[in-house]
Amino acid sequence: MNRRPTLLAALALTATAALTLSACGSDDDTPAKDKDKDTIAGADTGDKKSPSPTPSESDPASGGRPKITFPADAKNVFEYEKTGDAAKDAALLDSTLSVNSVDEAIFKGSTDTEALGFYNAERALSASITFVNGYLKKNHTWVGETRYFDYEVKLSGATAAYVTYCSDESKSFLKNRKTGKVDNTPTTADSYVLYHTKLAKNADGVWQTTDIASDRGSKTCQP
């Protein structure tokens, strides 16, 4: 199905080349033993096939961070391994929370959620708001499970990171908010999406997603 960011892709696709080029050759590989304890299950075990807990369980809702909640019939699963570098691991975690914040806004039917502006900024925030509003205008939400995998993260200095990953939407489906009808569309190449994202670490230590580009149907993400 095509439930993920066609609008985000349209608004930010021009950034793809810049994000890809910036991510290459600008990696800070300084090791760090201090790993973030607030992370998803797959990262803790080192098993890329291990499912994450529900969004509300995985959110580090401490230190002023907003807690993100999903309905019982929807779930995002993030599959990645910790790198052992504290900065990279923090950027990876906040990248997943950026995704969750966009979906939470869809579920709540509002772009005025605390998490949306907490984990997204600049072009990514404006694109996310447009994307969510596209759902709301059509009375859409979604159900099922979306899987995110094949994560790669690179650092550029102390406050910039580039994260790429794939998504599998074959088990998530659009749902009409008013009627409750679920659109059980078949799995196609368009059910898989490649994402290029840029993150910036703000003064509060949050790695905000500032730019995003997507390639739906990418062969890189096909099973």
Side-chain angles (χ1 to χ4, degrees), residues 11-12 16 35 37 44 47 53 78 109 120-121 128 139 143-144 149 154 158-159 178 186:
L11 288 170
T16 305
K35 297 182 179 181
K37 295 180 181 179
D44 285 333
D47 181 2
F78 304 98
N120 303 278
S128 296
N139 290 313
V143 297
F149 60 101
K154 292 183 179 294
T159 59
K178 289 186 175 181

Side-chain angles (χ1 to χ4, degrees), residues 84-111:
D85 181 292
K88 287 183 178 181
D89 292 338
L92 283 168
L93 178 60
D94 284 348
S95 173
T96 70
L97 295 174
S98 167
V99 173
N100 281 348
S101 73
V102 175
D103 284 325
E104 182 194 43
I106 292 172
F107 298 136
K108 290 189 173 181
S110 172
T111 57

Side-chain angles (χ1 to χ4, degrees), residues 6-80:
T6 50
L7 286 174
L8 280 171
L11 288 170
L13 191 57
T14 55
T16 305
L19 294 177
T20 304
L21 289 173
S22 297
C24 296
S26 59
D27 188 16
D28 180 0
D29 289 322
T30 303
K33 295 181 180 179
D34 183 18
K35 297 182 179 181
D36 191 340
K37 295 180 181 179
D38 295 316
T39 189
I40 60 175
D44 285 333
T45 63
D47 181 2
K48 291 186 178 181
K49 300 301 180 183
S50 299
S52 69
T54 60
S56 59
E57 293 171 340
S58 63
D59 290 347
S62 60
R65 285 174 172 252
K67 184 176 181 179
I68 298 174
T69 58
F70 275 25
D73 59 359
K75 183 179 182 180
N76 285 334
V77 175
F78 304 98
E79 297 175 354
Y80 69 84

Side-chain angles (χ1 to χ4, degrees), residues 121-137:
E122 300 177 17
R123 284 167 54 93
L125 178 59
S126 61
S128 296
I129 290 172
T130 300
F131 174 59
V132 173
N133 281 331
Y135 266 77
L136 303 186
K137 289 178 182 178

